[in-house]
Amino acid sequence: MVAIIPAREGSKGLPGKNVKLLCGKPLISYTIEAALNADEINRVIVTTDSMEIADLAKKMGADVPFIRPQYLAEDNSSAIDVYLHSAKYVMDCYGCSMKSFVVLLPTAPLRDKEDIDKAIKIWKEKKAITLVSVMEAETPASWYYRMKEDGSIKNAGFDIDNAMDNRQGNARYYIPNGAIYILNYDLLKTKRTYYTETTIGYIMPRKKSVDIDNIDDFKYVEYLMKQNTLEN
């Protein structure tokens, strides 16, 4: 299966984050390594508008068959359009079919090759159309409240029947963590969505689910990596 790694140059939350050194290595290198080492992945494609990122990816062994056009590298560019552009280019360039493909965001460096392989195997076993990696929500949905202008609060209406239950009595809820997506090209092109009625979730622990958006996220991942090194 083909893995697509989207990594644009710009970032408002943390400028230059994809090549920012994390425990001595560029952030994107963790995702490229995981994809290259995964048994279920046979080609790794990096889509980027940056020559620096492109050169780094090539040196690591990933394919960079094109430089992403600028209209797909803006702050408001659609991720779906980026994935469709990449998949179509790969199909046209290599003459291969890509009914389904994996997307791995470089901002989730704690996801490893085992996670990628497990997710793909689950997707295959379930004969699913799409898969999204998730983590268990820390706060039950029934505990969310809205605040009115006068300062009074009202339950937001999510799972309201369990609003007064202890945490143990609430249903479990899951949040996409941005680490692994297995997408269907036709669904993405026609419906422009990752989700169907049968989308499978691959559950990851919270400590492996950090998605780096700002410097605090970056420092937290750095801390987790250093702790893991010390423990090992």
Side-chain angles (χ1 to χ4, degrees):
M1 183 173 284
V2 173
I4 294 174
I5 301 174
R8 71 187 184 95
E9 184 174 31
S11 171
K12 284 187 175 181
L14 184 59
K17 67 181 175 184
N18 285 317
V19 292
K20 185 175 176 62
L21 293 183
L22 175 63
C23 292
K25 299 195 301 185
L27 173 61
I28 192 175
S29 67
Y30 293 94
T31 295
I32 294 175
E33 285 178 358
L36 289 172
N37 290 325
D39 296 331
E40 296 287 335
I41 299 295
N42 54 35
R43 175 168 280 150
V44 179
I45 305 291
V46 173
T47 167
T48 183
D49 60 321
S50 164
M51 288 305 302
E52 180 182 5
I53 294 175
D55 289 343
L56 171 62
K58 290 176 183 177
K59 288 178 181 177
M60 293 188 66
D63 292 338
V64 188
F66 59 87
I67 294 297
R68 192 193 306 180
Q70 191 58 41
Y71 77 92
L72 291 176
E74 306 291 349
D75 290 336
N76 60 352
S77 297
S78 164
I80 289 176
D81 288 334
V82 171
Y83 305 155
L84 287 172
H85 173 269
S86 302
K88 187 176 187 307
Y89 196 103
V90 170
M91 287 189 285
D92 292 344
C93 181
Y94 297 107
C96 60
S97 174
M98 277 180 60
K99 182 178 180 181
S100 298
F101 55 92
V102 179
V103 171
L104 303 171
L105 303 186
T107 50
L110 299 176
R111 163 254 297 113
D112 54 31
K113 68 178 289 295
E114 286 78 16
D115 289 311
I116 298 170
D117 284 335
K118 286 179 184 177
I120 294 174
K121 287 175 181 177
I122 290 172
W123 173 78
K124 287 180 177 179
E125 290 169 2
K126 299 289 186 180
K127 297 181 179 179
I129 297 176
T130 57
L131 177 145
V132 176
S133 61
V134 298
M135 64 177 178
E136 186 173 349
E138 189 171 7
T139 305
S142 59
W143 289 12
Y144 280 79
Y145 281 76
R146 291 192 178 98
M147 181 173 286
K148 299 179 182 178
E149 290 184 4
D150 63 2
S152 62
I153 60 175
K154 180 180 180 181
N155 190 279
F158 307 119
D159 195 21
I160 193 169
D161 292 339
N162 296 311
M164 299 305 296
D165 287 351
N166 293 328
R167 183 185 300 271
Q168 291 79 7
N170 276 265
R172 291 185 177 182
Y173 291 88
Y174 298 90
I175 303 170
N177 66 0
I180 303 169
Y181 298 90
I182 302 179
L183 305 179
N184 179 279
Y185 180 80
D186 290 336
L187 177 70
L188 211 59
K189 187 175 181 179
T190 58
K191 302 294 184 181
R192 297 186 64 81
T193 183
Y194 308 159
Y195 302 97
T196 72
E197 290 297 319
T198 59
T199 295
I200 298 297
Y202 171 68
I203 303 172
M204 292 176 58
R206 188 171 288 109
K207 282 191 174 182
K208 294 181 73 176
S209 297
V210 185
D211 185 18
I212 296 177
D213 185 55
N214 53 49
I215 190 62
D216 290 334
D217 299 330
F218 189 91
K219 288 180 178 179
Y220 180 50
V221 169
E222 193 171 45
Y223 164 78
L224 291 174
M225 285 185 170
K226 288 179 178 178
Q227 286 297 109
N228 186 59
T229 300
L230 292 174
E231 290 171 2
N232 292 337

